[in-house]
Amino acid sequence: MSRFPIGVVVAAWMLALAGALGAQVDTARGVRIGLRYDPGSKPAVVVMPVTGPSGDSIRTIIERDFDYSNRITVRTVAQDASYSAPQAGGATRLNYPIFAAMGAVAVVQITPTESGLHVVLHDVGRADVVSVNDFPMPEPALGRDWRMALHGIADRLEEWTTGQRGMSQSRIAFIRGSVIRIVDSDGYGEHAIPVVGAAMSPAWHPSGSMIAYNTFGPGSRIVLHDLRTDRVREFGAQRNATNLTPVFTPDGQSIVYSLSTENGADLYLRTLEGDAFPRRMTVGRGSENVQPSFSPDGSRIAFMSDRSGNPQVYIMDADGTNADIFTAFDFGDQNYRAGPDWSPDGRQVTFQTRIDSRFQIFTMTLRDRQPRQLTSEGENEEPSWAPDGRHVVFVSTRSGTRQLWILDTESGRLRQLTQVGGSRLPAWSPRLVTP
């Protein structure tokens, strides 16, 4: 198929249609411990048993976050064993040689307090404490905000241990049955938010406080939903036009979306203050230009366009100039690239490519433009980067129904995120930290 008229783009979105942030006060004085290990390996960390009524949950969540990070190996110790060594004067300290024998490089001790959690990080190699911090925790224990704050502690501990901050303190928005649903990165707490009309293509504000989406059908419009208050703002409704794929600019001040009419689809920019007339960014002359994704610094935009005869990923300057094809490589006789998402480190773009009539997930770096295939089993599409720039969430049929899966792009490790079929159009949030 050499051309993809507007009806095909609209049909694709119809198929997709059919098919309180975490609270944490950052008191960390954290320091990266002086580990020496192969960067390709995963240092082993022990999380000690935690006392109190929520102790088992605290330990389980931290250990699971470490495991899902794919940067840390969890070493489990017995609940009732003693790992302390007596010292002069009756004091005790951790028996570091025991942990060294396990291959552990760090030990985490967590103690509940009246206001939160007291966290101590030990460097096994130095046989000493390297960080002590107190983290306030919201009420109630085990609630959604409490869990999100605990994910933030896990991310901090990962950063202090490996030098790389984790992605556990984040959420994923997606569509199921024309409703926006949000789930924590570990799969907990899936819930729906109120929507206006048939919702599609959710996108996060850089602050994590707001979601934008478009509605489909008569009166199609762009909707901004404040997650803190559930208040909404709407704009863009026009006769005989469809609003598609909104995204926020990296500074959070504006939104870029596609406006589709019988003359094609082009990208437009509108400030959140509500310009009377949005600024046109592409002049497609009958072609379809959709699915914008900003570089982290806001200087460039990746988007899908069929201006060359078949859908490809293009990159242009943020003012709409200097558009150039990005995915100019041959991969079979049905070149179709779509759904670009720019990585948080700015180095690569992920997208979907059709191979033998099924989509697969690829990445390509800005520097060498060498495509790298990430998936092959089932049909895989609609990728979105995690805030750590290492993990990607995407839609896959590998389990028999459309589910969300998370892939570690470095190791290739996969885990299924959702358990109910029909999940589509995922968007990974930034890290959700609020004062």
Side-chain angles (χ1 to χ4, degrees):
M1 189 177 296
S2 60
R3 294 291 297 168
F4 292 80
I6 187 63
V8 175
V9 171
V10 170
W13 265 277
M14 290 184 70
L15 287 174
L17 178 61
L21 300 177
Q24 175 191 357
V25 177
D26 182 4
T27 62
R29 304 186 303 274
V31 356
R32 182 182 178 185
I33 65 180
L35 302 181
R36 298 185 183 278
Y37 60 90
D38 181 352
S41 67
K42 299 195 300 182
V45 176
V46 171
V47 181
M48 297 295 290
V50 182
T51 60
S54 302
D56 289 345
S57 296
I58 292 170
R59 185 186 186 192
T60 297
I61 292 170
I62 295 290
E63 287 183 334
R64 186 165 56 228
D65 286 349
F66 285 170
D67 179 43
Y68 287 168
S69 77
N70 295 297
R71 290 191 177 100
I72 291 176
T73 298
V74 176
R75 290 278 190 266
T76 301
V77 296
Q79 183 78 19
D80 55 355
S82 175
Y83 296 95
S84 297
Q87 301 295 305
T92 62
R93 62 178 299 185
L94 282 186
N95 193 334
Y96 291 106
I98 291 180
F99 298 105
M102 297 178 185
V105 299
V107 176
V108 176
Q109 286 182 306
I110 301 175
T111 305
T113 66
E114 289 186 0
S115 60
L117 297 176
H118 180 72
V119 180
V120 180
L121 179 66
H122 300 257
D123 184 334
V124 173
R126 291 167 53 183
D128 200 3
V129 171
V130 291
S131 183
V132 178
N133 295 278
D134 290 286
F135 293 88
M137 296 290 288
E139 296 289 345
L142 302 179
R144 292 182 63 245
D145 289 348
W146 183 92
R147 290 177 62 96
M148 191 56 56
L150 189 58
H151 290 317
I153 295 175
D155 286 349
R156 282 294 191 185
L157 288 166
E158 182 179 339
E159 182 178 25
W160 299 339
T161 305
T162 70
Q164 301 293 322
R165 193 170 182 183
M167 51 75 187
S168 301
Q169 197 175 28
S170 61
R171 293 185 170 124
I172 295 165
F174 63 99
I175 300 293
R176 186 188 298 129
S178 76
V179 173
I180 295 177
R181 304 190 69 84
I182 298 177
V183 64
D184 290 0
S185 64
D186 64 352
Y188 173 85
E190 181 183 315
H191 65 285
I193 65 172
V195 295
V196 178
M200 299 187 66
S201 300
W204 291 87
H205 189 272
S207 69
S209 64
M210 188 185 308
I211 284 180
Y213 62 91
N214 68 274
T215 65
F216 196 83
S220 168
R221 54 206 180 276
I222 302 297
V223 180
L224 306 180
H225 182 111
D226 191 317
L227 294 171
R228 299 163 298 187
T229 64
D230 278 340
R231 294 180 180 175
V232 299
R233 292 172 51 199
E234 305 173 33
F235 61 85
Q238 298 184 34
R239 294 186 61 185
N240 302 317
T242 301
N243 294 282
L244 301 168
T245 59
V247 296
F248 291 98
T249 55
D251 63 8
Q253 300 300 309
S254 304
I255 196 165
V256 172
Y257 61 99
S258 181
L259 181 62
S260 176
T261 68
E262 61 183 9
N263 297 317
D266 277 300
L267 299 179
Y268 287 79
L269 181 143
R270 184 184 185 119
T271 68
L272 298 191
E273 298 301 321
D275 299 333
F277 299 99
R279 179 168 66 86
R280 188 172 183 174
M281 303 185 69
T282 62
V283 182
R285 298 182 177 86
S287 64
E288 289 137 15
N289 301 274
V290 294
Q291 301 172 337
S293 177
F294 274 90
S295 62
D297 63 4
S299 65
R300 291 183 290 177
I301 303 174
F303 63 102
M304 189 201 83
S305 176
D306 70 348
R307 63 184 64 186
S308 64
N310 58 304
Q312 296 282 358
V313 176
Y314 282 73
I315 291 179
M316 67 180 179
D317 292 344
D319 62 2
T321 62
N322 300 317
D324 182 43
I325 190 169
F326 178 63
T327 52
F329 63 90
D330 286 329
F331 207 99
D333 58 356
Q334 292 184 320
N335 290 334
Y336 189 125
R337 286 75 186 243
D341 192 46
W342 213 304
S343 67
D345 62 9
R347 297 179 181 177
Q348 56 187 324
V349 174
T350 185
F351 53 92
Q352 61 194 54
T353 293
R354 190 168 64 187
I355 302 174
D356 296 329
S357 301
R358 294 203 293 186
F359 282 111
Q360 303 297 339
I361 305 299
F362 276 67
T363 61
M364 197 157 73
T365 62
L366 277 293
R367 182 175 181 178
D368 59 22
R369 299 203 175 189
Q370 291 298 311
R372 177 188 172 208
Q373 185 173 347
L374 298 181
T375 64
S376 58
E377 180 183 352
E379 185 159 14
N380 306 275
E381 53 192 332
E382 301 162 2
S384 176
W385 285 103
D388 67 352
R390 171 169 175 155
H391 295 83
V392 170
V393 63
F394 61 98
V395 177
S396 179
T397 62
R398 65 187 61 224
S399 65
T401 59
R402 291 187 179 276
Q403 303 279 6
L404 300 189
W405 289 72
I406 291 177
L407 171 69
D408 173 23
T409 61
E410 294 189 21
S411 69
R413 182 185 177 190
L414 279 163
R415 64 179 170 96
Q416 187 172 334
L417 182 68
T418 58
Q419 305 300 321
V420 179
S423 303
R424 297 294 306 270
L425 299 168
W428 209 317
S429 77
R431 292 186 177 91
L432 301 178
V433 182
T434 58

